Amino acid sequence: MGATGNAVTAAVNRFGLGAKPGDLAGAHDPRAWLETQLARGPDGAQFLAGLPTSIDYLRDEIQLFAIRREFKQGGRGRRDFLTGKMPGPPGDTKAAAAALKQALQPYRQEQRKDLLAEFSARIRIATGTATPFVERLVRFWSNHFAVSVDKFSARLFAAPMEREAIRPHVTGRFADMLLAVETHPAMLLYLDNVRSVGPDSRLGRRIAARLARDGDAGKGKAGGLNENLGREAMELHTVGVNGGYTQADVTEFSRALTGWSVAAKREFANGRQPDSAFVFRANAHEPGARRVLGKTFAEGGFEQGKAILDFLAHRPATARHLSLQLAQHFVSDDPPPALVDRMAKSYLDHDTDLAAVYRTLIESPEAWGSEARKFKTPQDFVTSALRAAQIDLQGRPQPVLGLLTTLGQPVFDPRSPAGFSDNSANWVDPDGLWKRVQAAEALSAHVASGGGEPLAFAQDILGPLLDEDTAQAIRRAESKRQAYATLFASPTFQWRV
Amino acid sequence: MLTRRQFLGTAAVGTATLLVWPKLTFAATGADTRFLFVLLRGGLDGLESVPPYGDPGYQAIRGALALSPSAAKPAHKLDSVFALHPSFNYAAQLYAQGQFMPVVAAAPPYWGRSHFQAQNCVENGTSKPDGSQTGWLNRCIASMPGVDGLACAAVMPLTMRGSAKVETWSPPLPTEVNPILLQRLQPLYAADTRLASPFARAVAQQNDSPVPESGIGMLASSKPGKKKQGGLPVMMGAAGTFMGKSDGPRVAFVEDEGWDTHANEAAIVTSKIAELDAGLKSFQQAMGGMWGRTILIVATEFGRTAHVNGTGGTDHGTGGSMFLAGGALHGGRVAGQWPGIGSGELYQNRDVHATTDFRSVFKGVLASHLGVSESLLASRVFPGSDGVAPIDGLVRSARAAA
């Protein structure tokens, strides 16, 4: 085995995001250090202030489509961004394409700037936060409710979902977080619920009538039930794949979720500004009672789906699924079942209160045992290096974003609603290790040239994890920069122990 | 100062017993075949890549996008109906040698025209976009004891996710590693029981220089911050360098993006097919003698509309083209049933109908080339595919290369 830690390094590395100078000393009472953070909740407001809201982003998208539609002469005017498809430019003349491009240019630039600002804020919080345990939890839940920006329509919303739906509930009730996420535009767009129409809803009947009249000519074909969100909300977000649900449960739940949509053209018409990015569209909602996991939910519009979500949040299968994932994230790839059981009980006993589950976790001896260790994901690795050296990106996150992409964990881009893997087996491989050595070289170049004496720095960051061989290698480095590279590339630095 | 190559050349003596791809012991069985799957994300237009110039409806429906062996920029004539896109120069040579074969009018079982869902289907190997959280190629590897896989991608693609051991590879960062640093790290990693072996393999991989020279050159010349590193020539060349070794991975995956040609299709397809063509060439060259035991499949999530849209492009469709190549392939012919593109022949009056289910091609290659049993193919690799029979006769002749 590699390095062996103690409770202080475990708190800072395994529960937190890695030490910044002084952290190890501050965490001399590890449990109290973690408890205090839970009481404080997430910080970082100063970095998030001024970022656009999801409503702002929706308005931008709608304006973008309006511009495209103006350039499109006739036909296919029904399309909007809810169908996930941009109308193309008119004709194929170069002049038309160039004019459209020019008209869109300011919006494109603005969106690029917004995305960089979002990512930049996220990285700066991780680098500087005084509540790294809470910040790790934010990222854990963000990945649990993964929205992948490789889906075009969702690309703007993954970062605001973390701010708007995850952060406010990270130490609150899971049931509240679940509702916030499933009503967030990011999830509704990513998992296609905005396109899901109840077949017997007013809209569904109208579409059916139009199809019957016009024939199946491929026009205006939007309509029909889409089970994407219903399935993933059960399989990934709540009860888990072995949670005892059937295809009938998925279909019923999906019917209940029809009508859950986002503010669109009409809500923004005439300069109006909606209060909520979420919109319940009663005309797309499938009427009738629904039966999910043996329980019947009366018709009630939005309240029906909300009640099912709350029911799912309180299932024992959900308690086990979430507790197992948390234990796998914070303790080991294969955590002790007794620990998971205790956390699940705490979850159910406290009305899905997450802080209670976290407390059970950190009060359990299994969380501090010598078997407890996790291999850093690329995001963990990069974040811990940025924290250690207090590297300030000065609002230019591109090099770090590129690094994360090359290391295999591009920000908000797991390419799957299941999120990035939390298992070492997916991250320990020769290619990944080699790139970490390269990344260590690159990161060491960013360490402030006035940085301290490397060995003292390594002691401050690794504490008792710094073994004699690693210390020796750092001592013998030919330059300060190479000493930092040695630290970041060392096997000890690759673990959360 | 020593260069990295020189340093590693000497350092490797100490790690010479550590094979890059250990635990592969198939050589004696005579089943030492190789399989590469290339996924083109975005939807390659089948009527552009394999123009059915002999179909009476073709010229009219394609208009300015129509291709033909008798045009100024001639397509490569395959038979009286089909040709290959003019950019397929190398593929046309392989075709003449019986080592390349298009499959026309093919599609995954999902016909819903969403990139996201269609790609999921192509990758998870079921008939549903959410039919599985693991990939068919991973399940294929899991069905072949002792075999490892390689995904040439920075993020593990769905095709390769699952319980079987799969390594990823992507072009290295342009950052040089100080050889002295590496020297100092080696004993540190040797003492970490979990990381010792993968680190030694990482060093050995660098020593083996899996990146073709052209790849290194391309990376070195690419501007920093430039979005795309690699591309098909580099990625397929790298796959070939790994797979061409006698102890290399037997199953690998390469992916590419940028095939979604809603506008200005002629120019985009011309340059993208040239990339694919160069990728075929670099892969074959990197495979060396192993080419004779190799089959690769190139697929895309759907074909495109038969009609040209208002922007010189085509929209999401259904039936498209698929390509097989390799020294072990019984190629030099066009496979698949052509449904025609005349009036009344199109699917929903817009797309080429799909007459071949991707899975029948995948199953045909996996059964006859990799030796995966049909019962495993139907139950584990492609669950729910009992009704989809593997295509026979894809392999040149049984074990001809052995």
Side-chain angles (χ1 to χ4, degrees):
Chain A
M1 249 325 153
T4 307
N6 61 20
V8 173
T9 61
V12 171
N13 291 314
R14 192 146 47 73
F15 288 92
L17 297 170
K20 57 183 169 56
D23 271 359
L24 289 175
H28 58 88
D29 183 347
R31 285 181 182 76
W33 189 68
L34 298 176
E35 284 281 357
T36 310
Q37 294 183 43
L38 287 183
R40 273 180 68 174
D43 65 2
Q46 74 273 28
F47 295 117
L48 300 174
L51 287 174
T53 64
S54 286
I55 298 173
D56 296 328
Y57 286 133
L58 284 170
R59 193 185 48 233
D60 292 350
E61 286 282 84
I62 287 155
Q63 283 181 0
L64 208 77
F65 269 82
I67 292 169
R68 282 198 174 254
R69 201 177 290 107
E70 276 171 35
F71 277 79
K72 182 85 190 170
Q73 294 153 343
R76 301 206 293 175
R78 301 180 66 87
R79 288 187 186 279
D80 67 16
F81 86 107
L82 291 186
T83 65
K85 188 164 154 56
M86 291 265 191
D92 52 358
T93 68
K94 282 194 170 159
L100 176 64
K101 199 175 165 191
Q102 198 184 0
L104 294 176
Q105 184 71 3
Y107 290 88
R108 288 246 169 83
Q109 268 177 359
E110 196 60 30
Q111 290 188 335
R112 216 169 8 245
K113 222 173 73 191
D114 288 338
L115 277 175
L116 285 176
E118 294 272 9
F119 294 163
S120 182
R122 194 172 194 260
I123 294 168
R124 294 181 93 164
I125 290 174
T127 307
T129 181
T131 55
F133 176 38
V134 178
E135 209 55 47
R136 175 171 288 287
L137 286 162
V138 167
R139 279 140 214 263
F140 168 84
W141 290 114
S142 206
N143 193 54
H144 174 82
F145 291 112
V147 168
S148 189
V149 296
D150 66 329
K151 174 126 165 176
F152 186 80
S153 61
R155 77 203 181 287
L156 293 175
F157 297 95
M161 187 183 95
E162 184 177 277
R163 290 190 281 118
E164 296 168 347
I166 307 280
R167 300 185 82 85
H169 301 291
V170 67
T171 55
R173 291 168 72 242
F174 178 77
D176 296 329
M177 186 191 287
L178 180 66
L179 180 64
V181 166
E182 311 297 13
T183 54
H184 196 277
M187 198 59 81
L188 294 166
L189 288 163
Y190 179 52
L191 295 181
D192 302 316
N193 207 68
V194 295
R195 309 174 69 170
S196 187
V197 175
D200 274 334
S201 67
R202 292 198 299 282
L203 181 60
R205 285 168 179 275
R206 210 156 64 224
I207 291 169
R210 192 168 67 228
L211 284 177
R213 194 182 61 232
D214 300 347
D216 188 7
K219 278 187 222 159
K221 291 229 312 137
L225 194 65
N226 186 308
E227 297 181 349
N228 206 358
L229 178 61
R231 177 177 304 280
E232 303 304 10
M234 291 177 126
E235 176 180 330
L236 300 174
H237 301 165
T238 60
V239 293
V241 69
N242 299 317
Y245 59 88
T246 62
Q247 174 59 44
D249 292 317
V250 170
T251 306
E252 278 288 271
F253 184 30
S254 301
R255 285 179 183 135
L257 291 175
T258 49
W260 289 35
S261 188
V262 303
K265 203 171 142 195
R266 88 180 69 142
E267 282 80 18
F268 288 96
N270 307 318
R272 277 204 302 272
Q273 177 81 348
D275 324 323
S276 164
F278 173 78
V279 170
F280 178 72
R281 300 195 186 283
N283 70 336
H285 181 66
E286 181 76 352
R290 304 269 79 93
R291 191 162 175 83
V292 176
L293 288 170
K295 186 171 153 77
T296 301
F297 296 84
E299 172 55 292
F302 170 59
E303 295 301 322
Q304 182 182 52
K306 198 176 151 189
I308 298 174
L309 272 185
D310 195 63
F311 170 72
L312 289 173
H314 286 85
R315 302 307 300 155
T318 301
R320 278 195 302 276
H321 179 218
L322 302 180
S323 299
L324 175 63
Q325 286 192 321
L326 278 165
Q328 283 172 333
H329 185 77
F330 282 98
V331 179
S332 72
D333 291 341
D334 193 12
L339 171 66
V340 178
D341 291 347
R342 217 175 300 136
M343 292 165 69
K345 180 171 189 310
S346 194
Y347 175 93
L348 294 172
D349 287 349
H350 293 88
D351 187 23
T352 82
D353 179 41
L354 293 172
V357 181
Y358 309 150
R359 289 203 174 91
T360 301
L361 170 66
I362 60 184
E363 282 159 14
S364 293
E366 294 96 329
W368 306 92
S370 59
E371 298 292 301
R373 58 168 51 221
K374 288 289 289 184
F375 186 74
K376 288 180 182 175
T377 63
Q379 187 182 285
D380 288 333
F381 165 74
V382 170
T383 301
S384 57
L386 294 176
R387 275 178 75 78
Q390 287 296 292
I391 295 168
D392 184 4
L393 301 170
Q394 320 235 331
R396 287 200 72 257
Q398 292 92 327
V400 167
L401 299 175
L403 195 57
L404 287 167
T405 302
T406 316
L407 290 170
Q409 203 175 21
V411 176
F412 290 121
D413 195 4
R415 299 194 184 181
S416 155
F420 288 109
S421 167
D422 201 8
N423 191 302
S424 309
N426 286 65
W427 299 111
V428 177
D429 66 70
D431 190 57
L433 287 178
W434 181 256
K435 293 209 170 77
R436 286 189 193 206
V437 177
Q438 293 189 303
E441 290 268 26
L443 286 162
S444 68
H446 290 273
V447 178
S449 56
E453 198 280 308
L455 191 62
F457 173 77
Q459 280 159 347
D460 198 10
I461 297 307
L462 293 180
L465 295 175
L466 183 64
D467 60 290
E468 182 44 38
D469 290 341
T470 306
Q472 180 90 315
I474 290 170
R475 215 179 285 126
R476 288 184 176 170
E478 64 193 5
S479 65
K480 257 190 190 177
R481 185 187 153 182
Q482 281 300 310
Y484 287 114
T486 307
L487 169 63
F488 297 150
S490 70
T492 302
F493 197 75
Q494 312 313 315
W495 292 98
R496 289 162 53 208
V497 285
Chain B
M1 196 165 118
L2 292 165
T3 66
R4 187 173 86 198
R5 183 68 54 82
Q6 284 167 331
F7 166 74
L8 290 166
T10 51
V13 176
T15 57
T17 52
L18 279 160
L19 294 175
V20 179
W21 298 95
K23 68 174 185 171
L24 301 184
T25 53
F26 46 77
T29 68
D32 187 7
T33 51
R34 297 288 188 275
F35 174 63
L36 172 70
F37 180 52
V38 180
L39 177 57
L40 309 178
R41 298 184 192 274
L44 165 63
D45 189 347
L47 295 182
E48 200 70 0
S49 52
V50 190
Y53 72 94
D55 187 301
Y58 178 69
Q59 288 290 335
I61 207 164
R62 291 306 268 191
L65 281 181
L67 298 166
S68 147
S70 54
K73 265 178 76 179
H76 303 278
K77 181 177 175 177
L78 301 180
D79 57 27
S80 61
V81 178
F82 296 103
L84 283 176
H85 188 278
S87 291
F88 266 135
N89 290 315
Y90 196 72
Q93 289 176 34
L94 291 175
Y95 185 92
Q97 296 162 34
Q99 299 184 354
F100 186 83
M101 180 179 85
V103 183
V104 296
Y110 164 90
W111 290 13
R113 302 194 184 99
S114 147
H115 289 299
F116 187 65
Q117 304 213 332
Q119 286 174 24
N120 272 4
C121 242
V122 174
E123 298 196 69
N124 72 26
T126 76
S127 58
K128 290 192 175 136
D130 52 3
S132 174
Q133 298 287 333
T134 60
W136 63 271
L137 209 47
N138 188 289
R139 298 193 299 271
C140 164
I141 295 166
S143 308
M144 301 167 67
V147 171
D148 284 355
L150 168 72
C152 291
V155 183
M156 189 68 76
L158 175 58
T159 320
M160 276 294 201
R161 287 188 196 172
S163 61
K165 179 95 179 75
V166 176
E167 309 259 12
T168 57
W169 181 90
S170 61
L173 288 157
T175 312
E176 279 294 316
V177 169
N178 180 341
I180 309 293
L181 169 67
L182 203 55
Q183 206 171 33
R184 295 228 165 88
L185 288 173
Q186 280 174 314
L188 299 180
Y189 274 91
D192 186 312
T193 48
R194 181 73 177 85
L195 304 181
S197 165
F199 190 78
R201 280 150 67 200
V203 174
Q205 277 183 15
Q206 298 306 313
N207 189 36
D208 287 345
S209 186
V211 193
E213 291 305 319
S214 63
I216 290 171
M218 284 176 74
L219 287 171
S221 66
S222 73
K223 293 191 186 90
K226 193 176 158 191
K227 190 174 166 253
K228 189 160 183 176
Q229 288 195 333
L232 281 173
V234 171
M235 300 307 263
M236 291 177 75
T241 309
F242 281 113
M243 297 174 82
K245 294 184 203 306
S246 60
D247 56 353
R250 289 184 58 194
V251 178
F253 173 88
V254 167
E255 62 188 341
D256 188 52
E257 294 178 343
W259 298 85
D260 191 20
T261 50
H262 288 283
N264 196 20
E265 175 168 331
I268 297 172
V269 163
T270 296
S271 77
K272 290 300 288 182
I273 290 182
E275 277 179 35
L276 174 59
D277 197 61
L280 283 169
K281 187 174 180 180
S282 66
F283 177 67
Q284 187 201 6
Q285 289 177 344
M287 288 299 279
M290 202 60 85
W291 174 255
R293 302 177 182 197
T294 297
I295 289 183
L296 68 107
I297 298 180
V298 181
T300 188
E301 70 264 30
F302 47 56
R304 309 190 68 85
T305 50
H307 297 91
V308 181
N309 68 16
T311 58
T314 51
D315 297 316
H316 302 182
T318 307
S321 57
M322 190 177 203
F323 304 98
L324 279 71
L329 177 74
H330 170 48
R333 59 202 170 105
V334 178
Q337 279 100 49
W338 183 241
I341 47 175
S343 73
E345 291 175 326
L346 294 175
Y347 171 61
Q348 296 183 344
N349 196 30
R350 59 175 265 158
D351 307 338
V352 177
H353 228 285
T355 53
T356 296
D357 184 324
F358 276 11
R359 295 174 298 176
S360 62
V361 180
F362 296 158
K363 286 169 86 169
V365 170
L366 266 46
S368 58
H369 184 61
L370 292 181
V372 181
S373 76
E374 286 198 25
S375 65
L376 274 177
L377 284 174
S379 63
R380 182 173 184 182
V381 183
F382 298 102
S385 70
D386 304 80
V388 185
I391 293 182
D392 282 334
L394 294 173
V395 177
R396 184 154 45 85
S397 69
R399 306 287 169 242

